[in-house]
Amino acid sequence: MKVLVCIPCLLTGGTEIQTLSLVQALAAAGHDVTTVCYFEHSPEIIRRYEEAGADVSLLSPDGSRPVGVRNTLGLLWSGLRKTVREVRPDVAHVQYMAPGAIPIVLLRALGVRRIVATAHTAADIYSPGGLKIISLLNRRVLRAFQCITERAEKSFFGASSLFDGNNKLRRHDNHFTIYNNLPSYISLREGTRATDTKSGGITIGVVSRLEPIKGMDLVIPAFASIHKEYPCTSLLVVGDGSLRERMEAEAESAGLSGAVSFAGRQPQSSLQEYYDRIDILLMPSRSEGFGLTAVEGMARGCVLVAADTGGLPEVVRDGTDGLLHRPEDSGDLADKVKMLIKDAALMRAMSESALRRSANFSREAYNARIKSLYDLLARK
């Protein structure tokens, strides 16, 4: 089939990386894929989409966003109309990010009958009016609505189910969950990793945008408490963002400069090397649609200490693959890390469990589910 994958941006975020996995899965299944990007884009990410087998259509060649609703509608209408006429897609797969509803309505008006939406977050970011629009679109326009966690699906529809290929895609029962997959730049570690918990020589790390939504303001206060009790611990911060200067100043003020390293933003091709240096990976997010960083770290044997929020509890099983802490609580975050450091057997068991768990998010499993979904759509 000819598939039109629609996305607002082609930058380096988790949504774009997961959508790249969708493109790869569709191409592997033999579909003809075109990706249409409405606004911002990066030449590097465009190149990766093209290497994955997609033609890329840019509605805004310079990557700018129109000012005002009228100009945005004009760009989307004219651009999507041109793309639909050229591609003549059998299916449009819309990444439901703002603007999400507008492209769906426009695609239907342009004659596309099989439309799938993928929501990359839970429903709590939408107003009651926004949820009504999504519900209406799901009943009247969409053939399928995919969520990336069951918690997110329940927040939209009150019920959830993991897609298994036997779904019927009925009008009032066309929503399901397909988990995100481990991206191609991270491989599943072979064998267990050795960690010296007795000497306290533990590397704690974050791989994240250094932003409040990721809970990065909690990291230095938590590490200060950990380091006071376990002076041989170190903190590795991979990423950049608006909180970097504040975190550096906090580390210096607490006398931790020698124990904290800021690696800055790194290319995705280098991330595996950094995960291999981290024993305990922190994800104190305030909001997290899925938690791709968690899967990446687990695939390299990192033990997760993550906030009990968003999709993280479905990825990191508390007490099995890692530990969950109370959201926005740096004290609880620190206590969970200390629990791991003083129990070598627990930490080793969780590292091994994390490796096994990450196999559930393999590219092969994801590709098989996308193929089954499109096999169903082909019969509709």
Side-chain angles (χ1 to χ4, degrees), residues 244-323:
R244 177 166 177 171
E245 289 187 8
R246 170 179 165 179
M247 293 173 71
E248 289 176 332
E250 287 177 339
E252 184 176 357
S253 177
L256 297 171
S257 296
V260 181
S261 300
F262 288 86
R265 183 178 176 182
Q266 297 294 322
Q268 290 166 341
S269 59
S270 299
L271 291 182
Q272 181 163 295
E273 172 190 345
Y274 283 95
Y275 285 120
D276 286 347
R277 293 168 56 185
I278 295 170
D279 300 302
I280 301 173
L281 181 64
L282 309 183
M283 286 193 71
S285 304
R286 290 182 168 87
S287 176
E288 198 71 58
F290 176 73
L292 194 59
T293 297
V295 175
E296 293 174 354
M298 290 163 66
R300 302 307 301 171
C302 300
V303 179
L304 269 290
V305 176
D308 186 2
T309 189
L312 287 170
E314 287 180 55
V315 176
V316 184
R317 297 170 300 181
D318 188 29
T320 302
D321 313 308
L323 298 173

Side-chain angles (χ1 to χ4, degrees), residues 100-116:
I102 293 172
I104 291 172
V105 173
L106 296 181
L107 287 164
R108 185 59 179 267
L110 290 167
V112 182
R113 295 303 176 201
R114 284 179 283 199
I115 304 175
V116 180

Side-chain angles (χ1 to χ4, degrees), residues 101-250:
I102 293 172
I104 291 172
V105 173
L106 296 181
L107 287 164
R108 185 59 179 267
L110 290 167
V112 182
R113 295 303 176 201
R114 284 179 283 199
I115 304 175
V116 180
T118 296
H120 293 268
T121 186
D124 55 5
I125 69 168
Y126 297 101
S127 66
L131 284 176
K132 288 181 180 179
I133 291 172
I134 293 173
S135 179
L136 179 64
L137 288 173
N138 191 53
R139 293 195 311 270
R140 301 293 179 86
V141 179
L142 295 172
R143 289 292 176 89
F145 192 103
Q146 175 205 341
C147 295
I148 58 175
T149 66
E150 288 198 84
R151 176 181 278 191
E153 187 183 355
K154 288 176 183 176
S155 71
F156 280 106
F157 304 107
S160 68
S161 64
L162 290 174
F163 182 83
D164 62 4
N166 296 315
N167 304 64
K168 302 301 182 183
L169 302 187
R170 299 185 181 95
R171 175 167 292 183
H172 297 287
D173 186 24
N174 63 341
H175 54 83
F176 49 81
T177 292
I178 296 178
Y179 288 130
N180 290 347
N181 67 293
L182 185 67
S184 59
Y185 53 83
I186 301 292
S187 61
L188 188 63
R189 186 185 186 98
E190 295 182 4
T192 57
R193 55 191 294 172
T195 302
D196 181 12
T197 58
K198 289 184 178 180
S199 68
I202 299 293
T203 299
I204 300 161
V206 296
V207 180
S208 174
R209 289 184 289 116
L210 305 186
E211 302 292 344
I213 195 170
K214 296 297 185 179
M216 290 298 106
D217 52 304
L218 306 176
V219 171
I220 300 298
F223 180 67
S225 174
I226 297 163
H227 189 72
K228 182 177 181 180
E229 191 167 335
Y230 297 96
C232 291
T233 55
S234 61
L235 175 66
L236 174 59
V237 179
V238 181
D240 211 340
S242 64
L243 290 179
R244 177 166 177 171
E245 289 187 8
R246 170 179 165 179
M247 293 173 71
E248 289 176 332
E250 287 177 339

Side-chain angles (χ1 to χ4, degrees), residues 37-55:
C37 170
Y38 318 146
F39 308 126
E40 299 90 347
H41 46 80
S42 157
E44 170 63 17
I45 298 300
I46 292 172
R47 180 186 63 78
R48 291 176 65 180
Y49 271 69
E50 291 173 340
E51 289 177 348
D55 292 325

